[in-house]
């Protein structure tokens, strides 16, 4: 069994790469809230374990073995988030921090039972895909609401889940996953108007728009 900290590093490298960012020492230090020196030490250890490849200018990448572990931890995390909202009455802004702790603790048996209990779900409460037990994961959109042209119709696929305050604002605006919106006008690059299916408008800040991922809606 690998330590919590190893699992957190693998998960952080996975998410940085998924966001098309390089998993450099500084990026990992910022993401994990640790010093650059501890990142350097850990990357050396992960390279010895053959979970990570490290090149100074490229940053860290996961080997297939490292990616398998990252996806396993992400599966735990997202199943736990969904279990907390569906079965325990948590709201979607409360589950990320709980899942960050619990993801390391549950057994394979526990994971299987949650999955069965929830009917083998494929997305978590924030719209993120849940990897399968075999480590397959559906692709998810990297296009954010702030990049969409006026007049387009899009469906909200997922919302970045690290910031509870942001999730509460998004829920108050009614912009949860699966909602279809039409893009209205933009005020000098700052705020953006979107229209819901019932014609109601919402004015949203650029910061919120950058954290909402969308796909084209027919
Ligand atoms: Zn989530």
């Amino acid at each position: 069994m690998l330590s919590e900290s190893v699992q957190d590093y693998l998960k952080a490298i996975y998410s940085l790469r998924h966001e098309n960012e390089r998993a450099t020492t500084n990026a990992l230090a910022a993401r994990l809230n640790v010093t650059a020196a501890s990142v350097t030490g850990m990357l050396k250890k992960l390279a010895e374990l053959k979970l990570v490849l490290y090149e100074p200018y490229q940053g860290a990448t996961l080997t297939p073995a490292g990616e398998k572990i990252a996806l396993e931890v992400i599966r735990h995390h997202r199943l736990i988030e969904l279990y907390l909202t569906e079965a325990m009455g948590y709201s979607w802004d409360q589950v990320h921090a709980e899942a960050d702790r619990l993801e390391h603790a549950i057994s394979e048996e526990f994971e299987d039972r949650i999955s069965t209990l929830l009917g083998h779900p494929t997305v978590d409460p924030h719209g993120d895909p849940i990897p399968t037990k075999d480590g397959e994961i559906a692709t998810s959109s990297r296009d954010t609401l702030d990049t969409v042209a006026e007049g387009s119709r899009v469906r909200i696929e997922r919302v970045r889940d690290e910031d509870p305050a942001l999730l509460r604002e998004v829920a108050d605006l009614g912009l949860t996953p699966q909602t279809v919106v039409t893009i209205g006008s933009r005020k000098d690059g700052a705020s953006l108007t979107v229209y819901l299916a019932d014609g109601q408008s919402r004015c949203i800040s650029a910061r919120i728009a950058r954290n909402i991922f969308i796909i084209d809606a027919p």
Side-chain angles (χ1 to χ4, degrees), residues 144-152 183-195 202-206 209-210 214:
T144 49
L145 195 52
D146 59 317
T147 63
V148 186
E150 187 171 342
S152 322
I183 310 300
S185 59
R186 235 176 216 93
K187 226 184 280 162
D188 51 37
S191 58
L192 166 74
T193 304
V194 298
Y195 295 92
R202 295 281 187 269
C203 184
I204 62 176
S205 67
R210 273 197 304 275
I214 49 85

Side-chain angles (χ1 to χ4, degrees), residues 112-130:
D112 290 345
R113 287 189 184 226
I114 290 189
S115 181
T116 305
L117 190 74
L118 295 172
H120 303 294
T122 55
V123 281
D124 83 359
H126 311 108
D128 287 307
I130 299 174

Side-chain angles (χ1 to χ4, degrees), residues 77-78 81-82 92 95-96 124-128 159-162 167:
H77 182 101
R78 294 181 178 167
E81 286 188 335
L82 192 63
W92 78 335
V95 295
H96 183 75
D124 83 359
H126 311 108
D128 287 307
V159 180
R160 209 185 282 280
D161 67 359
E162 291 92 1
L167 287 172

Side-chain angles (χ1 to χ4, degrees), residues 7-27:
Q7 295 179 4
D8 283 338
Y9 269 83
L10 297 175
K11 206 173 65 160
I13 296 167
Y14 181 91
S15 34
L16 283 167
R17 307 288 311 187
H18 183 256
E19 289 160 23
N20 276 338
E21 285 176 45
R22 286 176 308 146
T24 58
T25 305
N26 287 338

Side-chain angles (χ1 to χ4, degrees), residues 170-190:
V170 171
D172 288 345
L173 290 162
L175 299 175
T176 45
Q178 300 309 323
T179 306
V180 174
V181 296
T182 304
I183 310 300
S185 59
R186 235 176 216 93
K187 226 184 280 162
D188 51 37

